[in-house]
Amino acid sequence: MTSTAQAPQSGARTAHPDHLGHVIFIAAAAAMGGFLFGYDSSVINGAVEAIRGRYDVGSAALAQVIAIALIGCAIGAATAGRMADRIGRIRCMQISAVLFTVSAVGSALPFSLWDLAFWRVVGGFAIGMASVIGPAYIAEVAPPAYRGRLGSFQQAAIVIGIAVSQLVNWGLLNAAGGDQRGEIMGVEAWQVMLGVMVVPAVLYGLLSFAIPESPRFLISVGRHERAREILREVEGEDVHLDARVAEIEHAMNSEHKSSFKDLLGGSFFFKPIVWIGIGLSVFQQFVGINVAFYYSSTLWQSVGVDPADSFFYSFTTSIINILGTVIAMIFVDRVGRRPLALIGSVGMVIGLALEAWAFSFDLVDGKLPATQGWIALIAAHVFVLFFALSWGVVVWVFLGEMFPNRIRAAALGVAASAQWIANWAITASFPSLADWNLSMTYVIYTVFAALSIPFVLKYVKETKGKTLEEMG
């Protein structure tokens, strides 16, 4: 175990950068991977029914094509930590950007359904890499006093990506006369929706050349002078740089490099802290949040909302998502991570329970009764709001902070992989579950939201205000 008390005192805990705007730019550039995650997660929402029609597939096969990207995400997340330790965080971002770009072109011009599925796996691998590298990199370059807010950039980028993709989808749908398979520029509208992701993918790649490598990685490969320069940039002139480098080096030298083997031990295969990270990831997904982004248009159409309005409701949900994320960014370093998680869990239980109740009523002329329809719509927005102001942000912040240095990269990779696998399970199962019983599906999500409360109370420790070297 690391003994930070033996390390020189650098003043890092109270460090304030001389140019906060520069640090914000660095964090925002790294979070562009989150933007691509959000964009990819939601852009498929505008293409689901078109893909069903073009390839004449049922709900189960369609769900696998939609969800298969998440298998790529899990693989990308599992390998990114070790890759980042070997070649650096920035190089991983650049590889991810290239894969994003190739995937966007391939997804827009598929020869068949399974060709589309392949390109979604490629894009998923890139998303998985970015989901690990973004939070880890931001945690490593952010001053402790700002780390929660800067760490929340990852989730902010995700929700902005979701909103932008839905706005682009809505614009393209209108350009195609309201038909997802209407022609735009010689191809069907849904293909353009998927192809537009080339633009943010290229931007992500370009931004990766404009930000510095992580000081911790540079120290690990012996580039101490460059590490000092970057620490001066991001933590300010008041920090004792030699002591700060020694502090980081002490933590790294007293523990060996992160590897999967380091995660083993304790009860049930993994160390307890790894299981807590996995638990946070699984609960974040098992409340069903991604149903709101992968299937919201299809969901609202299934209870009688016309296609144009369903796209509009999807966009308003994204605006609520952004609002909740902003609230979390304001309070994550003030009230702490655990209180936000608990508040969010209670709010999600209420929202999901109301949705389950509303969807339990029979459709009348293909629509929910007016009262239940409005309650379902409002409850969906309440659910997304409370998720966004809590679990949407704090899980990414926790995963970037909670693990000891010696296992951080590997543990973050495993926890993120668990998140993608849980995401896949929810995404792949929803169409079939909804066909079986939509109300009971939401009861299941409500139960997981309720179970997250005792999980946080018993197992999750606050990380607010601590340096990464103190996570022993």
Side-chain angles (χ1 to χ4, degrees):
M1 182 179 289
T2 302
S3 176
T4 55
Q6 298 173 3
Q9 296 301 304
S10 64
R13 290 189 65 167
T14 57
H16 294 277
D18 300 312
H19 303 287
L20 182 58
H22 179 60
V23 179
I24 290 172
F25 170 77
I26 291 171
M32 268 297 296
F35 179 93
L36 286 163
F37 164 32
Y39 196 98
D40 184 76
S41 296
S42 187
V43 72
I44 198 69
N45 185 26
V48 171
E49 294 307 311
I51 293 170
R52 187 200 300 271
R54 175 159 174 171
Y55 297 108
D56 191 26
V57 293
S59 293
L62 179 66
Q64 293 307 316
V65 174
I66 303 306
I68 198 169
L70 301 170
I71 301 299
C73 291
I75 297 170
T79 57
R82 291 300 304 279
M83 193 184 305
D85 283 343
R86 287 173 181 247
I87 65 175
R89 284 58 165 152
I90 298 299
R91 189 66 67 197
C92 282
M93 291 181 196
Q94 292 163 354
I95 292 170
S96 178
V98 170
L99 293 176
F100 268 126
T101 304
V102 171
S103 168
V105 174
S107 297
L109 302 170
F111 299 109
S112 67
L113 183 66
W114 303 114
D115 180 47
L116 173 62
F118 170 77
W119 292 116
R120 285 189 55 72
V121 171
V122 172
F125 186 88
I127 290 171
M129 287 181 64
S131 74
V132 171
I133 300 306
Y137 173 86
I138 293 170
E140 289 177 350
V141 299
Y146 296 93
R147 199 174 58 235
R149 279 164 286 183
L150 294 175
S152 65
F153 276 27
Q154 174 80 3
Q155 181 64 16
I158 291 172
V159 300
I160 292 170
I162 290 169
V164 169
S165 74
Q166 291 179 340
L167 190 58
V168 170
N169 283 359
W170 179 78
L172 291 171
L173 185 69
N174 283 330
D179 183 3
Q180 293 179 17
R181 298 194 60 189
E183 188 171 304
I184 301 176
M185 297 183 290
V187 295
E188 295 182 9
W190 68 272
Q191 294 175 266
V192 181
M193 292 176 187
L194 299 182
V196 167
M197 197 169 68
V198 166
V199 176
V202 170
L203 179 60
Y204 180 44
L206 293 175
L207 285 171
S208 70
F209 287 97
I211 59 177
E213 182 55 85
S214 159
R216 284 173 180 78
F217 173 74
L218 292 171
I219 291 170
S220 75
V221 294
R223 297 178 60 190
H224 292 72
E225 192 54 43
R226 179 57 180 152
R228 284 188 190 89
E229 293 173 10
I230 295 167
L231 286 167
R232 184 185 294 111
E233 284 181 36
V234 300
E235 295 189 356
E237 298 285 351
D238 293 336
V239 173
H240 190 307
L241 293 174
D242 288 339
R244 184 70 176 117
V245 169
E247 192 174 74
I248 295 170
E249 198 167 27
H250 172 79
M252 299 177 81
N253 288 342
S254 62
E255 299 160 348
H256 54 276
K257 286 252 184 190
S258 173
S259 70
F260 185 79
K261 189 185 298 182
D262 295 322
L263 308 183
L264 308 181
S267 303
F268 306 108
F269 194 67
F270 286 128
K271 294 179 185 296
I273 189 66
V274 180
W275 280 116
I276 293 169
I278 291 170
L280 285 168
S281 291
V282 169
F283 274 117
Q284 189 199 51
Q285 296 303 316
F286 275 17
V287 297
I289 187 61
N290 279 304
V291 167
F293 302 124
Y294 287 100
Y295 296 114
S296 59
S297 293
T298 299
L299 172 64
W300 294 120
Q301 288 174 47
S302 74
V303 292
V305 176
D306 68 61
D309 285 344
S310 73
F311 270 69
F312 175 73
Y313 293 147
S314 296
F315 179 65
T316 60
T317 302
S318 294
I319 299 303
I320 294 294
N321 200 10
I322 293 173
L323 175 63
T325 302
V326 170
I327 293 171
M329 292 173 72
I330 292 170
F331 289 105
V332 68
D333 280 326
R334 296 183 184 181
V335 304
R337 288 68 159 141
R338 286 181 84 240
L340 279 182
L342 293 169
I343 292 167
S345 292
V346 172
M348 288 192 296
V349 167
I350 294 169
L352 288 167
L354 286 172
E355 284 194 86
W357 174 81
F359 290 137
S360 69
F361 285 77
D362 293 332
L363 302 184
V364 179
D365 296 327
K367 297 183 178 182
L368 280 175
T371 300
Q372 284 72 28
W374 278 109
I375 288 175
L377 187 61
I378 293 168
H381 285 73
V382 167
F383 163 59
V384 170
L385 174 65
F386 277 94
F387 175 87
L389 65 80
S390 61
W391 284 76
V393 166
V394 299
V395 169
W396 291 110
V397 175
F398 268 130
L399 294 182
E401 295 178 337
M402 65 187 286
F403 302 114
N405 270 346
R406 64 189 167 82
I407 65 168
R408 179 169 295 115
L412 182 52
V414 168
S417 294
Q419 190 171 120
W420 293 118
I421 293 168
N423 190 337
W424 170 81
I426 293 298
T427 304
S429 64
F430 176 74
S432 297
L433 285 173
D435 287 348
W436 163 65
N437 190 316
L438 184 58
S439 178
M440 283 304 300
T441 302
Y442 274 84
V443 169
I444 293 169
Y445 301 154
T446 305
V447 169
F448 280 109
L451 289 174
S452 71
I453 297 171
F455 175 79
V456 171
L457 288 172
K458 183 169 183 177
Y459 297 111
V460 180
K461 294 181 180 179
E462 184 60 75
T463 58
K464 172 189 169 185
K466 296 181 180 179
T467 67
L468 296 184
E469 286 66 46
E470 291 177 289
M471 307 295 177

